[in-house]
Amino acid sequence: MNEIDSVLEKIGFPPIKEISWSLNSITDEEGGWLAGIFAGEGTFNLMPIRYKNLMRYDPLVSISQRSDNSQMIIEIIRIWQLEPSVCRVVRRGYTENPDTYPSKPVLQLCIRDTPTIYQRIVPTFTKYNMRAKKQSDFLILVEAISILVKRRIEHRFNREYTDEERSKLTELHRAIRDVKKFSGDNNLPFPVQNYIANNQGKKINVA
Protein backbone atom coordinates (compact mmCIF):
# COMPACT_ATOMS: atom_id res chain seq x y z
CA MET A 1 0.00 0.00 0.00
CA ASN A 2 1.46 3.39 -0.98
CA GLU A 3 1.45 6.51 1.18
CA ILE A 4 -1.62 8.14 -0.35
CA ASP A 5 -3.67 4.96 0.15
CA SER A 6 -2.60 4.85 3.80
CA VAL A 7 -3.72 8.43 4.39
CA LEU A 8 -7.06 7.84 2.67
CA GLU A 9 -7.63 4.65 4.62
CA LYS A 10 -7.29 6.60 7.88
CA ILE A 11 -10.46 8.57 7.10
CA GLY A 12 -12.31 5.39 6.23
CA PHE A 13 -12.59 5.22 2.45
CA PRO A 14 -10.55 3.79 -0.45
CA PRO A 15 -9.48 5.84 -3.50
CA ILE A 16 -12.45 6.58 -5.78
CA LYS A 17 -10.73 7.55 -9.01
CA GLU A 18 -7.59 6.34 -10.78
CA ILE A 19 -5.03 9.15 -10.88
CA SER A 20 -1.38 9.31 -11.87
CA TRP A 21 -0.59 11.82 -9.10
CA SER A 22 0.95 10.52 -5.87
CA LEU A 23 1.65 12.14 -2.52
CA ASN A 24 5.14 10.69 -2.87
CA SER A 25 5.75 13.12 -5.74
CA ILE A 26 5.63 16.07 -3.33
CA THR A 27 8.87 16.96 -1.62
CA ASP A 28 8.84 18.06 2.01
CA GLU A 29 9.78 21.53 0.83
CA GLU A 30 6.79 21.65 -1.53
CA GLY A 31 4.43 20.23 1.10
CA GLY A 32 5.57 22.77 3.68
CA TRP A 33 5.23 25.56 1.11
CA LEU A 34 1.66 24.52 0.26
CA ALA A 35 0.73 24.35 3.95
CA GLY A 36 2.22 27.79 4.54
CA ILE A 37 0.53 29.64 1.69
CA PHE A 38 -2.86 27.98 2.25
CA ALA A 39 -2.66 28.73 5.99
CA GLY A 40 -2.38 32.40 5.08
CA GLU A 41 -4.19 32.82 1.76
CA GLY A 42 -6.31 29.69 1.20
CA THR A 43 -10.02 29.11 1.71
CA PHE A 44 -11.77 25.85 2.61
CA ASN A 45 -15.52 25.95 2.27
CA LEU A 46 -18.67 23.88 1.92
CA MET A 47 -21.03 25.59 -0.52
CA PRO A 48 -24.81 25.03 -0.34
CA ILE A 49 -26.37 24.97 -3.81
CA ARG A 50 -30.14 24.91 -4.15
CA TYR A 51 -31.63 23.21 -7.18
CA LYS A 52 -35.42 23.41 -7.39
CA ASN A 53 -36.51 22.15 -3.95
CA LEU A 54 -33.32 20.23 -3.20
CA MET A 55 -30.09 21.35 -1.56
CA ARG A 56 -26.68 19.92 -2.33
CA TYR A 57 -23.30 20.76 -0.84
CA ASP A 58 -20.15 21.16 -2.90
CA PRO A 59 -16.63 21.41 -1.46
CA LEU A 60 -14.51 24.39 -2.45
CA VAL A 61 -10.79 24.90 -2.00
CA SER A 62 -9.51 28.19 -3.37
CA ILE A 63 -6.64 30.62 -3.12
CA SER A 64 -6.26 34.15 -4.46
CA GLN A 65 -3.19 36.12 -5.36
CA ARG A 66 -2.44 39.39 -7.12
CA SER A 67 -2.24 38.87 -10.85
CA ASP A 68 1.39 39.97 -10.92
CA ASN A 69 2.18 36.97 -8.70
CA SER A 70 0.63 34.41 -11.05
CA GLN A 71 3.68 32.16 -10.71
CA MET A 72 2.35 31.02 -7.33
CA ILE A 73 -0.91 29.79 -8.90
CA ILE A 74 1.05 28.04 -11.66
CA GLU A 75 3.24 26.31 -9.06
CA ILE A 76 0.21 25.00 -7.12
CA ILE A 77 -1.25 23.60 -10.34
CA ARG A 78 2.10 21.98 -11.14
CA ILE A 79 2.57 20.36 -7.72
CA TRP A 80 -0.94 18.90 -7.57
CA GLN A 81 -0.98 18.21 -11.35
CA LEU A 82 -4.39 19.87 -11.67
CA GLU A 83 -6.04 19.31 -15.03
CA PRO A 84 -8.25 22.08 -16.50
CA SER A 85 -11.26 19.80 -16.00
CA VAL A 86 -10.95 19.84 -12.17
CA CYS A 87 -10.08 23.48 -11.50
CA ARG A 88 -10.42 26.94 -12.93
CA VAL A 89 -8.52 30.19 -12.63
CA VAL A 90 -10.66 33.32 -12.43
CA ARG A 91 -9.40 36.86 -12.89
CA ARG A 92 -11.20 39.37 -10.68
CA GLY A 93 -10.99 43.14 -10.61
CA TYR A 94 -9.59 43.38 -14.12
CA THR A 95 -10.07 46.57 -16.15
CA GLU A 96 -8.59 47.89 -19.38
CA ASN A 97 -7.65 51.09 -17.54
CA PRO A 98 -6.08 50.22 -14.15
CA ASP A 99 -6.11 53.89 -13.08
CA THR A 100 -9.91 53.89 -12.92
CA TYR A 101 -10.19 50.81 -10.70
CA PRO A 102 -9.41 51.16 -6.97
CA SER A 103 -8.26 47.57 -6.35
CA LYS A 104 -5.56 45.44 -7.91
CA PRO A 105 -6.65 42.56 -10.17
CA VAL A 106 -6.27 39.13 -8.61
CA LEU A 107 -6.22 35.55 -9.87
CA GLN A 108 -8.27 33.01 -7.96
CA LEU A 109 -7.66 29.28 -8.27
CA CYS A 110 -10.88 27.36 -7.51
CA ILE A 111 -11.04 23.58 -6.99
CA ARG A 112 -14.52 22.10 -6.63
CA ASP A 113 -13.96 18.55 -7.87
CA THR A 114 -14.64 16.14 -4.96
CA PRO A 115 -12.27 13.33 -6.11
CA THR A 116 -9.45 15.84 -6.65
CA ILE A 117 -9.89 17.41 -3.21
CA TYR A 118 -10.23 13.97 -1.62
CA GLN A 119 -7.27 12.29 -3.32
CA ARG A 120 -4.79 15.17 -3.61
CA ILE A 121 -5.57 18.00 -1.20
CA VAL A 122 -6.77 15.97 1.80
CA PRO A 123 -3.64 13.73 1.82
CA THR A 124 -1.38 16.76 1.39
CA PHE A 125 -2.71 18.69 4.38
CA THR A 126 -3.08 15.52 6.42
CA LYS A 127 0.65 14.99 6.11
CA TYR A 128 1.66 18.67 6.05
CA ASN A 129 -0.52 20.39 8.66
CA MET A 130 -1.32 24.08 8.41
CA ARG A 131 -0.09 25.48 11.70
CA ALA A 132 -2.81 28.09 11.85
CA LYS A 133 -6.52 28.54 12.45
CA LYS A 134 -7.14 27.53 8.83
CA GLN A 135 -6.46 23.90 9.83
CA SER A 136 -9.83 23.92 11.64
CA ASP A 137 -11.61 24.87 8.40
CA PHE A 138 -9.81 22.05 6.63
CA LEU A 139 -10.72 19.39 9.23
CA ILE A 140 -14.40 20.32 9.02
CA LEU A 141 -14.25 20.09 5.23
CA VAL A 142 -12.60 16.65 5.50
CA GLU A 143 -15.58 15.41 7.53
CA ALA A 144 -17.94 16.72 4.85
CA ILE A 145 -15.81 15.17 2.10
CA SER A 146 -16.09 11.77 3.78
CA ILE A 147 -19.90 11.98 3.43
CA LEU A 148 -19.70 13.05 -0.22
CA VAL A 149 -17.21 10.29 -1.02
CA LYS A 150 -19.32 7.62 0.69
CA ARG A 151 -22.24 8.72 -1.47
CA ARG A 152 -20.12 8.37 -4.61
CA ILE A 153 -18.82 4.95 -3.63
CA GLU A 154 -22.41 3.78 -3.16
CA HIS A 155 -23.31 5.31 -6.57
CA ARG A 156 -25.87 7.65 -5.05
CA PHE A 157 -25.63 10.62 -7.40
CA ASN A 158 -28.04 13.43 -8.26
CA ARG A 159 -28.09 14.87 -4.73
CA GLU A 160 -29.32 11.65 -3.09
CA TYR A 161 -28.50 12.14 0.60
CA THR A 162 -29.94 10.29 3.54
CA ASP A 163 -31.72 12.47 6.09
CA GLU A 164 -28.82 11.93 8.47
CA GLU A 165 -26.27 12.98 5.83
CA ARG A 166 -28.25 16.07 4.88
CA SER A 167 -28.54 17.09 8.52
CA LYS A 168 -24.81 16.52 9.11
CA LEU A 169 -23.80 18.50 6.00
CA THR A 170 -25.99 21.40 7.12
CA GLU A 171 -24.32 21.25 10.52
CA LEU A 172 -20.84 21.19 8.96
CA HIS A 173 -21.69 24.10 6.65
CA ARG A 174 -22.64 26.17 9.71
CA ALA A 175 -19.56 24.99 11.60
CA ILE A 176 -17.14 25.98 8.83
CA ARG A 177 -18.88 29.35 8.56
CA ASP A 178 -18.71 29.96 12.31
CA VAL A 179 -15.07 28.91 12.70
CA LYS A 180 -14.08 31.59 10.17
CA LYS A 181 -15.44 34.35 12.39
CA PHE A 182 -12.97 36.54 14.25
CA SER A 183 -12.78 35.16 17.78
CA GLY A 184 -11.01 38.13 19.35
CA ASP A 185 -7.56 38.79 20.75
CA ASN A 186 -8.50 37.12 24.05
CA ASN A 187 -7.89 33.75 22.41
CA LEU A 188 -4.25 34.54 21.66
CA PRO A 189 -1.79 32.23 23.44
CA PHE A 190 -0.21 33.84 26.49
CA PRO A 191 3.29 34.07 24.91
CA VAL A 192 1.80 36.08 22.03
CA GLN A 193 -0.25 38.28 24.38
CA ASN A 194 2.85 38.95 26.48
CA TYR A 195 4.93 39.77 23.41
CA ILE A 196 2.31 42.26 22.18
CA ALA A 197 2.00 43.84 25.65
CA ASN A 198 5.77 44.14 26.11
CA ASN A 199 6.46 45.49 22.62
CA GLN A 200 3.47 47.77 22.06
CA GLY A 201 4.68 50.87 20.26
CA LYS A 202 8.31 49.78 20.13
CA LYS A 203 10.31 50.03 16.93
CA ILE A 204 11.38 46.64 15.66
CA ASN A 205 15.04 46.52 14.65
CA VAL A 206 15.78 44.44 11.58
CA ALA A 207 19.35 43.18 11.29
Side-chain angles (χ1 to χ4, degrees), residues 21 25-27 30 33-34 71-83 109 120:
W21 182 89
S25 67
I26 292 185
T27 66
E30 290 170 334
W33 179 76
L34 286 170
Q71 184 59 40
M72 191 191 79
I73 301 293
I74 294 171
E75 185 68 0
I76 294 170
I77 293 172
R78 181 194 69 79
I79 292 173
W80 275 328
Q81 297 177 22
L82 299 173
E83 303 89 354
L109 172 65
R120 304 185 200 199

Side-chain angles (χ1 to χ4, degrees), residues 163-193:
D163 291 341
E164 182 180 357
E165 288 171 341
R166 195 178 301 279
S167 176
K168 186 62 177 178
L169 287 169
T170 300
E171 177 186 327
L172 292 171
H173 165 65
R174 291 171 180 163
I176 206 169
R177 180 190 60 191
D178 291 343
V179 80
K180 292 177 184 296
K181 295 178 181 177
F182 179 64
S183 55
D185 292 341
N186 292 333
N187 288 332
L188 288 174
F190 283 113
V192 179
Q193 292 185 38

Side-chain angles (χ1 to χ4, degrees), residues 3-129:
E3 193 169 5
I4 185 172
D5 290 339
S6 298
V7 172
L8 295 174
E9 188 179 50
K10 286 179 182 177
I11 63 172
F13 299 98
I16 57 174
K17 182 180 179 182
E18 288 296 326
I19 56 173
S20 58
W21 182 89
S22 168
L23 183 60
N24 296 323
S25 67
I26 292 185
T27 66
D28 288 342
E29 180 182 359
E30 290 170 334
W33 179 76
L34 286 170
I37 60 169
F38 271 86
E41 305 292 339
T43 298
F44 301 88
N45 222 329
L46 188 61
M47 309 297 293
I49 299 175
R50 184 174 294 279
Y51 177 76
K52 295 183 178 179
N53 295 324
L54 297 174
M55 182 76 78
R56 82 166 192 253
Y57 290 90
D58 286 351
L60 171 64
V61 176
S62 65
I63 190 166
S64 299
Q65 198 65 200
R66 273 183 9 179
S67 61
D68 59 356
N69 194 24
S70 61
Q71 184 59 40
M72 191 191 79
I73 301 293
I74 294 171
E75 185 68 0
I76 294 170
I77 293 172
R78 181 194 69 79
I79 292 173
W80 275 328
Q81 297 177 22
L82 299 173
E83 303 89 354
S85 61
V86 301
C87 71
R88 65 184 183 128
V89 178
V90 180
R91 176 180 279 184
R92 302 187 185 281
Y94 174 75
T95 176
E96 292 293 337
N97 183 1
D99 294 334
T100 65
Y101 203 86
S103 64
K104 300 176 179 65
V106 299
L107 295 178
Q108 183 180 46
L109 172 65
C110 300
I111 308 166
R112 293 176 179 267
D113 183 64
T114 297
T116 298
I117 295 173
Y118 173 68
Q119 291 183 256
R120 304 185 200 199
I121 297 174
V122 169
T124 299
F125 295 133
T126 298
K127 181 176 181 180
Y128 303 101
N129 290 175

Side-chain angles (χ1 to χ4, degrees), residues 196-207:
I196 293 173
N198 295 332
N199 293 277
Q200 191 72 34
K202 290 184 180 179
K203 183 178 179 180
I204 299 175
N205 294 319
V206 180

